[in-house]
Amino acid sequence: MNALDWTLFALTQIPLFVAFASLPRMLRNVRRVRVVTHALFPLSQAAFIGLQMAYALDARDWPYVAALAVCSLICAGIDVLLVRHLVASEQRDMQDNRVRLLDVQTEAQRRRMREFRAETQSVHTDYARFVERLDQIDTDLRNGASEQAVERSIQSASNAFCPHTARMCENLAVDALLAMKMHDAQRRGIDVQCDVRVSHHTPLSDVELCAVFANLCDNAIHACVRIREHGGGGGSGSAWICIRARADARQCVVNVTNAYRADAADDGGPHCAEHVGFGDTTIPEHGWGLSILESIAAQHGGECTSMPCDGYWLAVFRA
């Protein structure tokens, strides 16, 4: 091939490589595996057109050379439009699932508000009962009651205050969501342990935080339900979930472990994409699944991993 041939060859490759070079900017908020997949479009076309151009130049088939040059330009333009369309479509799906997540979050806040209202009424009742016990203690003391009788009256007064709803964490959105998820899990016969410390100021927005906790909890609940359906629900500890999280202004770490049995997992594993009903206050996993959580983590310089360990399943989100 002479200098003219190399020039023509380069001219047919330049449009495709320009399209390839524009991908990082268009896909800056997309997972790396998705970037590699999209990059295969212009690279595969460049390889095919380059091979055809080499044969055309060797055979001096100038009409075919011109056709390949036009095809290169057309393919480069189509690649850019296709990637933009895919990115826009993915963003629309994310927005739709954000709306669905906000619906779940709103329902969680409403449920939590009902709990606090009921608790407020209970506190008023307990306070009135406590005052009555104090009056009884005062009367007993004036009447010279025995020490044992006074101790019983004091114990009765201390028991007047029943345990009330405890906050899960400082962040109100996460608190309401976790309260709902724990209620749903316990209703299904799943033991839940929760040690969560999430402040009001975190690297993630409230929507992103709820997306993380909702999906990790839903996946864990789904895996435990599968265990119980396969006969693993006989023992009290056979279906369990443990939620640990620490989030402040600098970092966010969420660790969710749950019971896991390989024979109770679906073909895609215990965290496979399966639609769970909205009536159960869960989110369709095919929307806000682990892949979306990986994207959220990547935007904040973190990561999201999920893997089976020795007798349990581990999911960790860091940002």
Side-chain angles (χ1 to χ4, degrees), residues 51-276:
L51 181 62
Q52 295 297 311
M53 179 61 71
Y55 279 110
L57 291 174
D58 184 65
R60 293 297 186 262
D61 189 348
W62 303 115
Y64 192 36
V65 170
L68 289 173
V70 174
C71 288
S72 177
L73 290 171
I74 294 175
C75 289
I78 290 176
D79 289 341
V80 173
L81 292 176
L82 177 61
V83 171
R84 286 181 177 176
H85 174 75
L86 292 175
V87 172
S89 178
E90 184 172 320
Q91 290 176 345
R92 284 194 298 269
D93 290 341
M94 292 180 65
Q95 291 298 328
D96 291 342
N97 285 285
R98 284 177 184 270
V99 173
R100 190 177 293 111
L101 178 64
L102 287 173
D103 289 340
V104 174
Q105 183 179 349
T106 301
E107 176 59 28
Q109 295 282 7
R110 289 174 178 171
R111 180 184 295 186
R112 197 63 165 163
M113 182 60 68
R114 289 194 294 268
E115 292 178 359
F116 284 131
R117 285 176 179 173
E119 177 185 331
T120 300
Q121 182 62 38
S122 178
V123 168
H124 286 302
T125 303
D126 291 345
Y127 178 75
R129 190 183 300 114
F130 181 72
V131 171
E132 291 178 0
R133 298 293 190 277
L134 291 179
D135 290 340
Q136 183 63 43
I137 293 173
D138 181 68
T139 301
D140 292 342
L141 290 174
R142 293 177 183 275
N143 294 334
S146 65
E147 182 178 348
Q148 292 79 5
V150 173
E151 288 181 355
R152 287 194 297 270
S153 297
I154 293 175
Q155 183 63 39
S156 176
S158 63
N159 293 336
F161 281 106
C162 300
H164 299 287
T165 303
R167 288 274 297 275
M168 300 290 177
C169 64
E170 180 182 344
N171 187 287
L172 296 178
V174 175
D175 170 72
L177 185 67
L178 283 178
M180 182 176 64
K181 295 301 178 184
M182 289 186 65
H183 174 77
D184 292 339
Q186 292 167 353
R187 178 173 55 85
R188 298 169 185 263
I190 302 170
D191 294 333
V192 182
Q193 295 182 356
C194 189
D195 180 14
V196 176
R197 300 179 186 177
V198 181
S199 66
H200 291 293
H201 305 287
T202 69
L204 281 66
S205 66
D206 284 349
V207 174
E208 291 174 325
L209 279 173
C210 290
V212 172
F213 281 98
N215 278 275
L216 294 181
C217 290
D218 285 347
N219 290 343
I221 292 173
H222 174 71
C224 290
V225 169
R226 295 290 298 174
I227 289 177
R228 295 182 65 84
E229 290 177 350
H230 283 74
S236 60
S238 57
W240 56 268
I241 298 173
C242 182
I243 306 169
R244 295 186 177 92
R246 298 291 184 273
D248 52 28
R250 294 177 297 176
Q251 65 176 357
C252 175
V253 179
V254 182
N255 184 315
V256 177
T257 56
N258 59 268
Y260 168 65
R261 279 173 41 195
D263 59 335
D266 292 328
D267 294 337
H271 300 277
C272 66
E274 177 172 312
H275 187 282
V276 185

